[in-house]
Amino acid sequence: EYPKAPNFMRWALDYNGTNLLGLPALPPGFKSGDRKVWMRLFQNVAGFYLHPVGLEVQVDVSSLNVSEWEVVNVFYNGQYFRDMEELEREFNKGRVRVSKVKKTPHNGGYSSLKPRVPHKLLGPLQYEPRGPRYCIRDNQVTFMSWSFAFGMEANRGPRIFDVRFQGERIVYELSVQDASAIYGSNSPATMVTRLMDLGLGFGKSAVTLTRGVDCPYVATYLDGHYLLDSAKPITRKNSLCIFEQNAEIPARRHYEDHVISEFYGALADSVLVFRSISVMGNYDYVWDFVFHQNGAVGVRVYATGYIQTSFFFGNAADFGNRVEDLTLGAIHTHSIHYKVDLDIG
Ligand SMILES: *[C@@H]1O[C@H](CO)[C@@H](O)[C@H](O)[C@H]1NC(C)=O
Ligand SMILES: *[C@@H]1O[C@H](CO)[C@@H](O)[C@H](O)[C@H]1NC(C)=O
Ligand SMILES: [Cu+2]
């Protein structure tokens, strides 16, 4: 389609044949069977999520024959066009408002994860004076008064079963189910975006962990395996980690300073963590299952990676934050869904 708008692509977007890439906005419609997907264009650089160029193209992909796919809508910098030919005609007549992005180096410039300053002195580390206090056998873990079984499901992601405290089962199953993200914006691709990341597979997308960054140096690293979309099982090296961590905050404490009684008592909050990280396109979800010594078990999730952005134009500021000259960090809501099957009494 790009050759149908040669002047526009060349002069407005500096397109040279390889320096742009398209990312589909999901879902491709709002009812079953809809297959009209908005593609948004970015500069093809590291961390491209932060480099939208302003062009979005809606493609009808309902045919199983690729040569029958067709562009049904074009959007650039606040203006809609029927197709690429119309965009080109209007551009040649000077009726397209052009907002040019700066050319970004291949490492992504501001979106690069390369360190900006030399590495300084090493930060604090934790250590285990007498080795690990937990024990892992196959997928069974015991730690102080706790025991549980862990697993990684190709679609749903990390889960634990048969969670016992002092021998008594308190949770039959505790598992991630889905993570959704609902977006708003003044540009079409982002305003239709409603992601249900389960569709990409949280277990399948659990990546190799880096020692000392993703989990502590002393953590135990385990391989994940899945059989999905392929004839043979696939192994992800070191994609699960288990470690004990002193949270360095008292789980409980009291300092008594009465004349009739003086005492101090406290419990260090040293917790066992079962962690994995799923990368769903731009987002990296860090999944933690945490076991405290007072009998509490909890889950935590951190969303990191790159935000999803859209091109900054018009009233974009009503839909999020301006994170760069022509980049809007679009407003959105994350919902994380867990299944908890408690065994009460
Ligand atoms: C297009 O531009 C990119 C980035 O400047 C460059 O790396 C690439 O080689 C260019 N491609 C062509 C076909 O000129
Ligand atoms: C795909 O569509 C094109 C254009 O309509 C047509 O020429 C071609 O024969 C089709 N191919 C198949 C395998 O049906
Ligand atoms: Cu977010």
Side-chain angles (χ1 to χ4, degrees):
E1 289 291 325
Y2 301 153
K4 295 178 183 169
N7 286 331
F8 172 81
M9 293 303 291
R10 171 92 208 278
W11 300 111
L13 301 189
D14 286 330
Y15 181 57
N16 74 355
T18 60
N19 57 350
L20 295 179
L21 62 79
L23 198 64
L26 297 171
F30 289 113
K31 59 180 197 304
S32 183
D34 282 358
R35 294 290 185 274
K36 288 182 183 162
V37 61
W38 276 101
M39 302 291 298
R40 57 189 123 193
L41 276 85
F42 297 89
Q43 293 190 64
N44 187 6
V45 297
F48 65 85
Y49 309 103
L50 305 189
H51 296 280
V53 295
L55 181 65
E56 302 183 358
V57 178
Q58 193 181 26
V59 188
D60 183 339
V61 296
S62 53
S63 174
L64 295 179
N65 180 344
V66 175
S67 41
E68 285 175 359
W69 290 3
E70 59 170 342
V71 168
V72 291
N73 247 315
V74 172
F75 180 87
Y76 174 71
N77 192 23
Q79 289 175 276
Y80 283 92
F81 306 91
R82 220 215 71 74
D83 50 26
M84 294 301 282
E85 288 91 339
E86 185 185 322
L87 171 61
E88 177 75 356
R89 276 196 305 276
E90 295 297 297
F91 178 76
N92 289 337
K93 288 182 199 151
R95 292 207 286 239
V96 175
R97 285 186 306 275
V98 172
S99 209
K100 257 183 109 154
V101 296
K102 285 195 207 83
K103 196 162 159 9
T104 304
H106 199 68
N107 73 7
Y110 61 75
S111 65
S112 170
L113 293 185
K114 289 231 161 73
R116 265 59 166 184
V117 292
H119 215 60
K120 289 273 164 55
L121 293 171
L122 196 64
L125 294 171
Q126 294 209 356
Y127 74 106
E128 296 170 324
R130 296 182 150 198
R133 297 196 293 176
Y134 58 88
C135 171
I136 305 171
R137 266 177 102 175
D138 300 328
N139 71 331
Q140 301 283 324
V141 180
T142 51
F143 166 65
M144 315 295 278
S145 302
W146 289 104
S147 70
F148 63 94
F150 64 87
M152 178 60 101
E153 209 269 329
N155 291 302
R156 303 244 176 229
R159 55 189 183 176
I160 54 176
F161 289 109
D162 193 18
V163 179
R164 291 167 191 259
F165 187 69
Q166 291 174 345
E168 186 187 353
R169 184 161 69 207
I170 60 170
V171 178
Y172 188 80
E173 176 182 352
L174 176 51
S175 53
V176 175
Q177 296 291 305
D178 202 352
S180 63
I182 314 294
Y183 285 78
S185 174
N186 56 344
S187 65
T190 307
M191 75 173 80
V192 302
T193 298
R194 279 114 180 76
L195 301 171
M196 295 177 77
D197 285 338
L198 165 65
L200 303 171
F202 292 110
K204 186 183 169 192
S205 313
V207 294
T208 294
L209 301 167
T210 298
R211 189 175 281 269
V213 180
D214 294 327
C215 311
Y217 273 96
V218 295
T220 302
Y221 293 82
L222 301 160
D223 297 346
H225 311 277
Y226 66 87
L227 180 58
L228 188 72
D229 295 342
S230 74
K232 280 194 272 179
I234 291 173
T235 296
R236 280 295 176 104
K237 297 293 280 178
N238 300 343
S239 57
L240 303 169
C241 73
I242 293 174
F243 56 91
E244 189 184 353
Q245 178 181 47
N246 187 340
E248 306 291 8
I249 185 167
R252 66 176 302 200
R253 81 182 299 284
H254 186 67
Y255 182 98
E256 184 67 45
D257 196 16
H258 264 281
V259 268
I260 47 161
S261 114
E262 292 181 325
F263 64 87
Y264 166 76
L267 174 68
D269 194 21
S270 198
V271 299
L272 188 85
V273 181
F274 166 52
R275 175 177 292 169
S276 57
I277 303 181
S278 304
V279 179
M280 324 305 289
N282 57 311
Y283 268 120
D284 301 50
Y285 289 112
V286 181
W287 309 108
D288 277 2
F289 296 75
V290 186
F291 301 83
H292 299 262
Q293 293 189 29
N294 60 358
V297 55
V299 293
R300 282 190 300 229
V301 58
Y302 304 89
T304 176
Y306 286 99
I307 54 171
Q308 229 178 64
T309 67
S310 51
F311 196 64
F312 195 100
F313 71 92
N315 63 343
D318 292 347
F319 296 90
N321 292 296
R322 189 171 205 162
V323 296
E324 262 296 328
D325 282 351
L326 293 173
T327 307
L328 171 74
I331 190 168
H332 61 284
T333 306
H334 291 276
S335 301
I336 313 291
H337 307 257
Y338 287 88
K339 174 178 176 181
V340 190
D341 189 350
L342 286 172
D343 219 344
I344 301 170

